């Protein structure tokens, strides 16, 4: 049995978790997430404030995760820490602390790619959410459609050409005067909106598209955001219209995400679809995925909100996989604002 501590500080959540197990039988012993609410005041994450907040909370967050798991640092087999992608100053706090723990207790250190963490999150709750599957990773900074043949082997089918899905939600929320991060407020508002009033185009979804087309799996949300901006500007009464606009926006985005995911699952004849990242909290999306894919015999797995948004359990889980495959990071492990997910194979 292996016991791993995970640390996540890539953005505005300071998180630590302890996992135990082996192979695909890995159990979560603890998960502590401290969200930095201070950024709401600024309508977005302020990098330096995020780094300083990680610095003050990393020690108590890790201690609490160890305490809840009933273990001490001496009981750990490895430390897994997010080292990319994210805000470099924020990442450096977790990376430096993880290094210090690994060095002082003479245990292995494993640098984890944040998006590989999102890929593994659902497997912590659903034993069947394991490869092969089609993965849609949708967060505040990334939108990735992957074919996952096995853990560690990822075919990148499509990514966003501009805004990430979560970013589109957050920007539209801002246009509608909603708090940051706005995804869940858009979802709430859209639930009361009229779906027939604002019909925005579905980005990059053409009826007779072919798998050989360059945009067959690609995403683009900036045009949709501009269309929303125009609707907001030309509205005579935005208070009366905003629920209908939110509904039109969400319907367009959801339909695009579902269509591209269905294309990926069909092309590789996958029977499972795994959705991850903060936007996976969106229940309208999950319901639309299931309505579209279940009749085709495809099971859709989504994580609970706590594991969908940034957390250290997913980092420990991805670290587990890397650890069992003999991967170790040196004490020269660095932090990077962006880098491709490891294990990519040619499309
Ligand atoms: O994965 P995550 O916690 O952080 C990043 O790695 O970026 O994702 C955060 C994103 C934000 O853009 C937030 O608005 C979005 O997830 N989000 C949602 C919902 N809940 C969170 N988007 C749509 N609907 C939701 N219910
Ligand atoms: Zn994330």
């Amino acid at each position: 049995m292996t016991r791993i501590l995970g640390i996540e500080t890539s953005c505005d959540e300071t998180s630590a978790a302890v996992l135990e197990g082996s192979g695909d039988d890995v159990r979560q012993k603890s998960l502590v997430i401290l969200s930095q609410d201070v950024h709401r005041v600024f309508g977005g994450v302020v990098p330096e404030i995020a780094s300083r907040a990680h610095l003050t909370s990393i020690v108590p967050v890790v201690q609490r995760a160890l305490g809840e798991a009933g273990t001490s640092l001496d009981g750990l087999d490895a430390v897994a820490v997010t080292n990319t992608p994210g805000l470099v100053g924020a990442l450096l706090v977790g990376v430096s602390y993880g290094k210090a723990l690994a060095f002082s207790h003479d245990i292995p250190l494993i640098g984890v790619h944040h998006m590989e963490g999102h890929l593994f999150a659902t497997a912590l709750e659903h034993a069947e959410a394991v490869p092969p599957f089609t993965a849609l990773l949708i967060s505040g900074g990334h939108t990735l459609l992957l074919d996952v043949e096995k853990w560690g082997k990822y075919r990148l089918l499509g990514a966003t050409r501009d805004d990430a899905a979560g970013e589109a939600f957050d920007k539209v929320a801002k246009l509608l005067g909603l708090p940051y991060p706005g995804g869940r407020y858009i979802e709430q508002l859209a639930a009361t909106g009229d779906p027939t009033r604002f019909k925005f185009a579905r980005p990059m979804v053409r009826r007779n598209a072919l798998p050989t087309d360059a945009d067959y799996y690609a995403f683009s949300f900036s045009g949709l955001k501009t269309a929303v901006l125009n609707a907001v500007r030309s509205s005579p009464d935005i208070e009366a219209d905003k629920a209908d606009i939110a509904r039109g926006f969400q319907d367009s985005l959801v339909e695009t995400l579902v269509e591209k995911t269905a294309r990926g699952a069909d092309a590789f004849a996958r029977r499972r679809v795994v959705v991850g990242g903060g936007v996976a909290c969106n229940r309208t999306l999950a319901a639309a995925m299931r309505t579209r894919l279940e009749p085709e015999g495809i099971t859709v797995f989504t994580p609970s909100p706590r594991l969908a948004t940034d957390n250290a359990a997913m980092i420990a889980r991805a670290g587990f996989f890397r650890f069992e495959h003999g991967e170790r990071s040196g004490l020269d492990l660095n932090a990077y604002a962006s880098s491709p997910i490891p294990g990519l194979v040619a499309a």
Side-chain angles (χ1 to χ4, degrees), residues 83-129:
N83 76 309
T84 187
L87 301 168
V88 169
L91 288 165
L92 283 172
V93 177
V95 168
S96 305
Y97 190 60
K99 275 187 196 182
L101 290 181
F103 178 71
S104 59
H105 288 76
D106 198 21
I107 50 174
L109 174 73
I110 300 144
V112 172
H113 191 286
H114 182 82
M115 297 312 288
E116 190 173 38
H118 278 303
L119 190 64
F120 272 92
T122 315
L124 283 168
E125 293 177 309
H126 301 279
E128 317 90 280

Side-chain angles (χ1 to χ4, degrees), residues 55-66:
L55 214 45
T56 53
S57 44
I58 185 83
V59 174
V61 164
V62 167
Q63 278 172 353
R64 176 119 177 232
L66 291 170

Side-chain angles (χ1 to χ4, degrees), residues 8 10-13 114-115 118 138-142 165-170 180-188 250 253 276-283 308-311 314:
E8 155 67 34
S10 70
C11 191
D12 56 349
E13 261 86 31
H114 182 82
M115 297 312 288
H118 278 303
I138 36 182
S139 69
H142 298 265
E167 193 179 357
F169 268 104
D170 295 340
Y180 174 87
R184 66 190 174 101
Y185 300 100
I186 294 273
E187 183 174 17
Q188 279 166 15
Q250 184 175 268
L253 189 133
V279 184
C281 294
N282 191 289
R283 294 199 201 170
T309 50
D310 290 350
N311 70 85
M314 68 183 198

Side-chain angles (χ1 to χ4, degrees), residues 6 23 27 30 78 83 90 97 100 128 195 206 210 238 250 264 332:
R27 264 147 299 161
S30 67
N83 76 309
Y97 190 60
E128 317 90 280
R206 278 174 291 103
L210 298 170
I238 189 62
Q250 184 175 268
D332 58 350

Side-chain angles (χ1 to χ4, degrees), residues 247-268:
R247 178 62 185 264
F249 161 75
Q250 184 175 268
D251 283 354
S252 167
L253 189 133
V254 161
E255 202 178 305
T256 304
L257 294 175
V258 170
E259 174 62 25
K260 303 273 165 156
T261 307
R263 288 178 183 180
D266 288 346
F268 293 87

